Structure formats: structure tokens, C-alpha cells
Amino acid sequence: RKEVEQDPGPFNVPEGATVAFNCTYSNSASQSFFWYRQDCRKEPKLLMSVYSSGNEDGRFTAQLNRASQYISLLIRDSKLSDSATYLCVVNSGDSNYQLIWGAGTKLIIKP
Amino acid sequence: NAGVTQTPKFQVLKTGQSMTLQCAQDMNHNSMYWYRQDPGMGLKLIYYSVGAGITDKGEVPNGYNVSRSTTEDFPLRLELAAPSQTSVYFCASSSIRGRNTEAFFGQGTRLTVV
């Protein structure tokens, strides 16, 4: 089992729709969780951290479910500019604090 | 603000050649990382460093070497390039070891080994 698993997609979604994707992680000791966005052939950039109580940033909502070991990302009122690959990231849970990256979910927003 | 600077942006090597990918950050971050990303895959950690003079292997260190003589610089050395090392390489830095620390990335180096 991969340490961080994501549905690779692509998710083809009409503009204005709501889309959600999950990410599962295998290490119960992981303490930090993030969503990064990566545009084609560009470097990843932090979209948002994921907090235990869930958090929202504009149209984006992130949730953490420790019992089932998954995190989710919800995008409301999707825009064409949301088209990208979304990377789920968790930390290794040990003192080395390595970041473990999922392979990403590709999202395509269609007009 | 320069952030994390990687050079070169593109490179073609012949099998067996050596080269160094340069990475520099001006944010005074103590942690720096090298990742590779193969097409359609996630990031794989090659090496990381939590401070000057300290380096550790990541998930895929074979065929690479690093050094961290200063806080700012973290070069990645390929001694005998192989076609399997064709990939996009990203350097990143973060401010502290700990929770909820954002990793800042360079623009990447696209390496092809023929």
C-alpha cells in the first residue's frame, strides 16, 4: 500500500460546479497535512494546510478524518483557473519530519 | 524576492557524464530538500538537510550526492548519469523542522539523460 494515495483522475468538471477529492494516508503517526497545487510543468505551491477541525479558505475547504486516515479537499464554484494537479502531502510522523507526497489528482475545469 | 533559485532550468547529459544541479535560497531557511518527479508521479525525496553540515538520505538517494556547506546552498551532484535519472528535479526549503511548515520550491530542472 502506498503511503499517500490519491485518485489520479482526471476529474472533468464544468465551470461553477463543486468538486471534491480525497487522499488516504497509511501512517497513523502523521501529524501535518497539506494540499499543494501544481500547474503543468511548474513547481508545487501550497494551497492550504489541513487542521484537525477542518478549515476553509474562500472557495476551498479542507477536512481531516484521523480515524479513517484521509483528508479531503472541496472546491466550490469552480473556476477555469482551478485546473491543475492537486497534491496531498503528509509528514512522516517521526523526528525527521519528511514530507510524503501523493501522486496528485488532476482537475480539469471545462467552460 | 528570489526565494529558491535552481540552475540550470534544462539540461541534456550523455550516459556516464557528471553534473551538479545548483540550488540556493535567500530566506534563511534551515531545511532544504531535493526531489525528483517522474511523469505522472508524485515527488520522491532524494536527499534533505536540516542545517549546514547535515545531510540525510531520502527515499531515492542512489546515484546522487549532496553537500550543505552554507545555509543558502544545497547542490545535488550526479556522478555517473544514467537514463533512469531523466526526470524533473525540484529543490525546496522550509523554515523549521516541525508542524505546518510550508515548503517553497524552485522552478525545477528538467534533466534528460541520453
Side-chain angles (χ1 to χ4, degrees), chain A residues 22-69:
Chain A
N22 290 341
C23 159
T24 59
Y25 61 95
S26 61
N27 187 352
S28 60
S30 295
Q31 294 292 326
S32 301
F33 310 90
F34 310 90
W35 283 104
Y36 276 71
R37 171 192 169 128
Q38 187 175 26
D39 293 301
C40 187
R41 300 179 67 79
K42 296 290 185 74
E43 72 275 23
K45 293 185 179 178
L46 180 68
L47 177 66
M48 57 197 305
S49 300
V50 185
Y51 302 119
S52 299
S53 55
N55 48 300
E56 188 174 307
D57 183 1
R59 298 181 293 109
F60 299 85
T61 301
Q63 296 280 351
L64 168 64
N65 185 316
R66 285 189 186 273
S68 300
Q69 294 183 204

Side-chain angles (χ1 to χ4, degrees), chain B residues 6-108:
Chain B
Q6 282 183 243
T7 56
K9 287 189 171 56
F10 301 92
Q11 182 70 50
V12 178
L13 287 179
K14 293 183 179 180
T15 298
Q17 286 186 318
S18 301
M19 80 161 296
T20 299
L21 307 186
Q22 301 292 343
C23 176
Q25 54 94 6
D26 62 1
M27 297 173 282
N28 202 32
H29 287 169
N30 56 347
S31 294
M32 296 186 74
Y33 314 86
W34 273 106
Y35 295 93
R36 60 177 286 173
Q37 186 175 34
D38 298 328
M41 305 294 286
L43 294 167
K44 300 288 188 184
L45 182 65
I46 305 171
Y47 270 95
Y48 66 103
S49 168
V50 298
I54 305 169
T55 62
D56 285 291
K57 295 179 180 179
E59 185 181 355
V60 289
N62 292 343
Y64 307 94
N65 276 299
V66 294
S67 59
R68 185 92 183 272
S69 56
T70 67
T71 299
E72 294 77 21
D73 300 298
F74 191 40
L76 177 71
R77 178 84 177 159
L78 284 72
E79 289 295 347
L80 291 171
S84 61
Q85 294 177 304
T86 294
S87 190
V88 179
Y89 291 82
F90 289 105
C91 178
S93 71
S94 62
S95 61
I96 59 171
R97 268 177 70 194
R99 302 178 60 176
N100 298 325
T101 58
E102 178 181 355
F104 293 84
F105 284 80
Q107 291 183 317

